[in-house]
C-alpha cells in the first residue's frame, strides 16, 4: 500500500532530508587516502547527532553501524571497518537520517585521490542515470518509465544495472511501497501520483550486473569483482513534477 503524503507531511520530512544531504557535503573533505571507514562512520554519527538527527542504519535489522560505506566492488550495504581507503578507490557513502520520526535518504559515490579514466566514466554515468530517472518523474508517468530511461542510458554506455536492489517509498518508515526498480519497460508498472515520496538509487556496475551477499549477511558485492557506483535522492512527487528533498543547502 503506497502512502501518499500531504504537503504538511512532505514539509515534515524536509529537516531529515536536509541533514542527510548536508552530511554528504560535510564528509567529502575527509575522504582521503589513509582514512578508515570506521572513522567515516564516527564522523557521520557525530554530525547527525549534532544536527538533531538519529542515524537510521544503526541497529536497523541488526546493521551494526550508522552509515553504509561501499568501496570499489561493494555495491551497497558495506559495513564500516578498520580498512583504510587508498588512492584511486571509489566509495559510496549512504546516509539516512531520522528527525521527528521522518526519514531522509541519500547517497553519493566519491573519488579517493585520482581516479582512472574508466572509473571516472562509471561514476559519471551512475550520476547521470539518477538524474535521468528523476527527470521523468511526474504525475501520470509510470515506475517503468524510470527504470527504462536508467537502463537504456547505462547499457548504451556499456555498463550494467543491478537488478536485486531498488529504490523505495520512504516516510515515517525507512522502506515503504512502492519499490522503484532501475530497469524495465516504458509505460509499465504503477502510475506515479502526486504525494508519492520515494528514492531513486541506481547501482551501476562496470562489468556484469549479478551480485552476491557476503557472509556478514549485509555486504553486497559484484560477482565479477568489477567496480560499482551509486547515487541516490529522496524525491517528492508534486502536482507539476518532482522535488528533490535531499538537495544539499550547504
Amino acid at each position: 500500500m503506497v502512502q501518499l503524503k500531504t504537503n504538511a507531511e512532505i514539509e515534515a520530512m524536509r529537516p531529515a532530508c536536509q541533514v542527510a544531504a548536508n552530511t554528504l557535503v560535510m564528509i567529502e573533505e575527509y575522504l582521503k587516502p589513509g582514512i578508515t571507514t570506521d572513522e567515516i562512520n564516527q564522523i557521520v554519527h557525530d554530525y547527525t547527532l549534532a544536527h538533531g538527527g538519529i542515524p537510521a542504519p544503526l541497529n536497523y535489522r541488526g546493521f551494526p553501524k550508522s552509515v553504509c560505506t561501499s568501496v570499489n566492488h561493494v555495491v551497497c550495504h558495506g559495513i564500516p571497518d578498520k580498512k583504510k581507503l587508498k588512492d584511486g578507490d571509489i566509495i559510496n557513502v549512504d546516509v539516512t537520517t531520522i528527525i521527528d520520526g521522518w526519514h531522509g535518504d541519500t547517497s553519493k559515490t566519491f573519488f579517493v585521490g585520482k581516479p582512472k579514466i574508466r572509473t571516472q566514466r562509471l561514476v559519471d554515468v551512475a550520476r547521470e542515470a539518477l538524474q535521468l530517472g528523476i527527470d521523468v518523474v511526474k504525475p501520470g508517468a509510470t515506475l517503468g518509465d524510470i527504470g527504462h530511461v536508467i537502463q537504456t542510458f547505462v547499457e548504451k554506455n556499456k555498463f550494467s544495472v543491478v537488478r536485486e536492489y531498488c529504490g523505495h517509498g520512504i516516510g515515517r518508515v525507512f522502506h515503504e511501497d512502492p519499490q522503484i526498480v532501475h530497469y524495465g519497460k516504458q509505460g509499465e508498472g504503477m502510475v506515479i501520483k502526486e504525494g508519492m515520496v520515494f528514492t531513486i538509487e541506481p547501482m551501476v556496475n562496470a562489468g556484469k550486473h549479478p551480485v552476491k551477499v557476503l557472509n556478514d549477511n549485509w555486504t553486497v558485492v559484484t560477482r565479477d569483482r568489477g567496480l560499482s557506483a551509486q547515487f541516490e535522492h529522496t524525491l517528492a512527487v508534486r502536482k507539476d513534477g518532482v522535488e528533490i528533498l535531499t538537495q544539499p543547502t550547504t
Side-chain angles (χ1 to χ4, degrees):
M1 178 72 74
V2 175
Q3 302 290 328
L4 298 180
K5 308 292 191 297
T6 65
N7 284 336
E9 288 172 324
I10 292 170
E11 288 306 310
M13 291 186 67
R14 197 176 297 280
C17 289
Q18 284 302 304
V19 170
N22 292 340
T23 302
L24 291 181
V25 175
M26 175 277 301
I27 200 64
E28 184 164 17
E29 68 176 291
Y30 297 96
L31 302 179
K32 294 181 170 61
I35 194 170
T36 69
T37 49
D38 258 343
E39 290 170 326
I40 295 167
N41 177 76
Q42 192 63 53
I43 294 165
V44 168
H45 181 90
D46 292 346
Y47 182 92
T48 302
L49 296 185
H51 288 80
I54 298 168
L58 185 61
N59 300 318
Y60 177 77
R61 297 183 179 175
F63 190 81
K65 300 288 183 170
S66 296
V67 66
C68 297
T69 52
S70 302
V71 180
N72 294 337
H73 70 289
V74 178
V75 175
C76 59
H77 305 158
I79 301 173
D81 59 20
K82 298 187 185 308
K83 188 174 181 180
K84 293 180 179 180
L85 298 182
K86 303 187 303 296
D87 184 60
D89 284 346
I90 56 172
I91 180 172
N92 177 271
V93 180
D94 191 344
V95 174
T96 308
T97 306
I98 306 170
I99 295 180
D100 295 331
W102 295 97
H103 292 70
D105 190 4
T106 185
S107 83
K108 180 178 178 178
T109 297
F110 298 89
F111 300 114
V112 181
K114 184 172 177 59
K116 295 178 180 176
I117 292 174
R118 182 163 171 78
T119 304
Q120 174 90 52
R121 182 67 183 147
L122 172 70
V123 174
D124 289 347
V125 166
R127 183 189 300 106
E128 190 167 345
L130 169 60
Q131 188 58 54
L132 289 170
I134 292 170
D135 288 345
V136 302
V137 176
K138 62 181 179 180
T142 70
L143 298 185
D145 295 343
I146 299 171
H148 174 76
V149 71
I150 290 171
Q151 181 183 12
T152 300
F153 175 72
V154 169
E155 293 180 353
K156 182 181 75 173
N157 282 279
K158 310 301 183 186
F159 297 123
S160 62
V161 177
V162 170
R163 306 293 203 270
E164 291 88 345
Y165 297 89
C166 59
H168 52 88
I170 188 168
R172 288 197 175 276
V173 178
F174 196 162
H175 296 93
E176 301 178 348
D177 289 334
Q179 293 189 337
I180 313 296
V181 298
H182 305 112
Y183 61 95
K185 294 184 179 178
Q186 200 164 12
E188 294 190 350
M190 184 181 293
V191 175
I192 296 170
K193 297 180 180 178
E194 181 183 1
M196 283 185 174
V197 178
F198 53 77
T199 71
I200 302 178
E201 48 186 293
M203 286 144 269
V204 178
N205 292 351
K208 296 180 179 179
H209 69 77
V211 301
K212 64 179 180 180
V213 182
L214 299 185
N215 291 336
D216 61 21
N217 294 319
W218 280 107
T219 307
V220 179
V221 300
T222 56
R223 284 192 175 272
D224 61 9
R225 305 282 291 186
L227 296 179
S228 187
Q230 180 190 18
F231 290 82
E232 173 186 17
H233 273 308
T234 296
L235 311 164
V237 182
R238 301 299 201 171
K239 184 177 1 180
D240 55 355
V242 62
E243 180 183 1
I244 301 173
L245 297 179
T246 45
Q247 196 74 45
T249 57
T250 59

